[in-house]
Amino acid sequence: MIPLSEPFLGGNEWAYLKQCLDTNWVSSAGSFVEAFERIVATYSGAGHAVAVNSGTSALHLALLLARVQANELVLLPNLTFVATANAVRYVGAQPVLIDVRPDDWQMDLDLVEEFLDKSCELQEGSCMHLPSGKRVAALLPVHVLGGMADMDRLLAIAQGWQLPLIEDAAEAVGSRWKDQHAGTLGTLGCLSFNGNKIITTGGGGMLLCRDEDLARRARHLASQAKVPGSPYYHDCTGYNYRLPNLLAALGVAQMEQLDSLLRKRQQLATTYREQLPGVQFQKTHPFCRPNHWLTTIYTHRKEAILQFLQARHIQARSLWTPIKQLPMYQECLYISRENHSQHLFEHCLSLPSSASLTETDQLRVIEAIKAALLRFSA
Ligand SMILES: *Cc1c(COP(=O)(O)O)cnc(C)c1O
């Protein structure tokens, strides 16, 4: 079986894990947590990085820190992994789903501006959605498959409407806008180290921010809001979101290899594009240097190719069912003209993109896709 995206644990993972076990430092109090935070903060250029137990936890904390309240509105793309929308619900807020662009598959900023210009008004520093009377509390773009929307334009929109910008950079570890790392452009950024992401701690995430006070509050909320030095005195409702030392140890080892893993994925992406001329791939904005997490194609023969690959033990995958199609989000406001999210969901296919994919195996995938296209295009 050629997997879609498998972890690459080829560095100091064993050594650092052993160090945790040998010294009994397994919980979040261990020193790898701080080391992991430091290495991610340095690598990304974020002022501060707070390690948490998942990307979803990072999103939840980010929304809390941006003071998104119950019954407020948060703008996010309709085409994303469900965690983005779920985190909005965790704080009692309501997603406003924005359709994506047909070329780069990112949140369509024309639609964002149209929504704000046509139906919202700035009232005493708050962006009010006039038809519902609700406050728009944040913009929550997702760097879909490691690509990015036009971040300069998005930052200008956020500033103009005085909205916090929270980046769901769960899929974008290693991606950059000009020289800035994904998740460091807005107010807060969220990374994921889930098993199928570009680097992994088994499960884990990181909250990025520039503001020291935000980072301090994030750590506080993530550790049950316990007041340090106190006899179990907690000053608000906190969460058990800290990353255990065992997993942070994996994180440090993974970060040491990130650049070589990115080079490998870039190479795979280039080879797919060179060897499959005439096939349509995800486009990227010229200012974005994507991490090539999953090379993904657009094809009118998605189901047939998927089955053809499966029969040859090659794992490929659809994009996510659009959020608007999920039962718990059907009532959400959806801003769209042509429902590109649904169309892309029906036509896109992610190809094997593991850093461990050999040249021979990649050629097997390429030959299989060529054969499938030949058979099903007739
Ligand atoms: C993976 C992912 C998440 C959630 O990350 P976990 O670490 O699995 O909780 C959130 N948003 C997007 C876009 C993702 O791909």
Side-chain angles (χ1 to χ4, degrees):
M1 184 71 160
I2 299 180
L4 180 79
S5 175
E6 63 176 1
F8 185 87
L9 304 162
N12 288 317
E13 287 85 356
W14 266 117
Y16 294 166
L17 261 184
K18 185 169 188 314
Q19 213 171 305
C20 295
L21 296 173
D22 288 346
T23 58
N24 238 356
W25 283 104
V26 293
S27 77
S28 304
S31 63
F32 277 112
V33 176
E34 220 188 292
F36 187 31
E37 291 180 340
R38 212 173 323 116
I39 196 170
V40 171
T42 306
Y43 184 90
S44 65
H48 302 274
V50 180
V52 290
N53 58 8
S54 76
T56 310
S57 308
L59 284 167
H60 185 193
L61 288 177
L63 290 159
L64 289 168
L65 292 169
R67 301 194 188 283
V68 177
Q69 313 272 336
N71 289 316
E72 294 183 334
L73 306 177
V74 175
L75 273 56
L76 59 111
N78 187 36
L79 190 66
T80 178
F81 180 58
V82 70
T84 321
N86 285 348
V88 172
R89 279 279 168 83
Y90 294 167
V91 298
Q94 299 180 10
V96 173
L97 305 169
I98 310 286
D99 200 6
V100 297
R101 289 163 51 101
D103 52 356
D104 61 15
W105 315 346
Q106 309 293 329
M107 183 160 79
D108 188 336
L109 303 189
D110 287 341
L111 293 176
V112 171
E113 282 206 306
E114 196 180 296
F115 171 80
L116 291 167
D117 290 341
K118 278 201 179 149
S119 60
C120 299
E121 196 177 277
L122 258 185
Q123 295 176 358
E124 294 162 28
S126 283
C127 173
M128 299 304 296
H129 179 241
L130 301 176
S132 66
K134 294 182 197 300
R135 190 174 83 102
V136 179
L139 298 175
L140 180 51
V142 177
H143 302 314
V144 176
L145 300 172
M148 291 187 197
D150 180 339
M151 292 307 289
D152 292 337
R153 188 172 163 201
L154 192 52
L155 283 163
I157 295 172
Q159 196 174 21
W161 288 92
Q162 303 188 28
L163 291 169
L165 179 66
I166 302 170
E167 296 172 71
D168 182 343
E171 300 169 5
V173 172
S175 297
R176 284 176 193 272
W177 178 259
K178 297 172 184 170
D179 280 327
Q180 281 181 281
H181 192 281
T184 68
L185 292 116
T187 320
L188 292 146
C190 304
L191 309 180
S192 166
F193 308 112
N194 186 27
N196 70 355
K197 297 284 156 69
I198 208 151
I199 57 168
T200 184
T201 57
M206 195 73 79
L207 187 68
L208 306 179
C209 60
R210 230 163 304 142
D211 186 277
E212 187 177 349
D213 190 50
L214 280 184
R216 192 187 50 73
R217 280 167 51 214
R219 285 198 178 86
H220 185 61
L221 284 174
S223 34
Q224 305 279 27
K226 181 176 182 291
V227 175
S230 73
Y232 286 92
Y233 181 78
H234 309 260
D235 60 3
C236 64
T237 308
Y239 303 87
N240 180 10
Y241 279 175
R242 289 293 273 162
L243 187 72
N245 202 47
L246 283 171
L247 302 187
L250 292 178
V252 172
Q254 288 276 285
M255 281 303 292
E256 291 170 353
Q257 301 162 83
L258 178 54
D259 279 333
S260 73
L261 295 177
L262 288 169
R263 274 196 299 277
K264 179 67 204 216
R265 298 237 183 195
Q266 159 90 64
Q267 204 181 328
L268 293 174
T270 307
T271 304
Y272 275 130
R273 281 167 171 78
E274 283 172 2
Q275 302 286 321
L276 294 168
V279 172
Q280 231 175 301
F281 292 85
Q282 181 187 20
K283 302 269 192 305
T284 42
H285 191 285
F287 289 153
C288 171
R289 213 164 354 121
N291 62 2
H292 298 289
W293 172 47
L294 296 178
T295 294
T296 305
I297 61 170
Y298 173 93
T299 166
H300 286 285
R301 294 281 178 270
K302 188 191 93 170
E303 283 308 324
I305 295 177
L306 197 59
Q307 278 167 25
F308 191 88
L309 293 179
Q310 248 161 19
R312 280 152 191 78
H313 307 289
I314 296 167
Q315 197 184 20
R317 186 183 90 177
S318 294
L319 296 178
W320 320 270
T321 302
I323 303 294
K324 180 71 179 172
Q325 303 309 117
L326 305 176
M328 60 288 197
Y329 294 112
Q330 268 165 12
E331 304 302 313
C332 287
L333 209 52
Y334 177 36
I335 311 301
S336 166
R337 269 190 290 270
E338 294 171 73
N339 203 0
H340 293 300
S341 314
Q342 183 66 25
H343 184 79
L344 291 166
F345 166 61
E346 287 164 9
H347 293 88
C348 291
L349 200 58
S350 296
L351 306 178
S353 303
S354 306
S356 56
L357 188 67
T358 63
E359 234 172 278
T360 320
D361 279 351
Q362 191 183 15
L363 281 181
R364 236 184 85 202
V365 177
I366 289 164
E367 290 312 320
I369 292 168
K370 281 183 177 167
L373 285 172
L374 212 63
R375 175 178 308 180
F376 300 121
S377 64

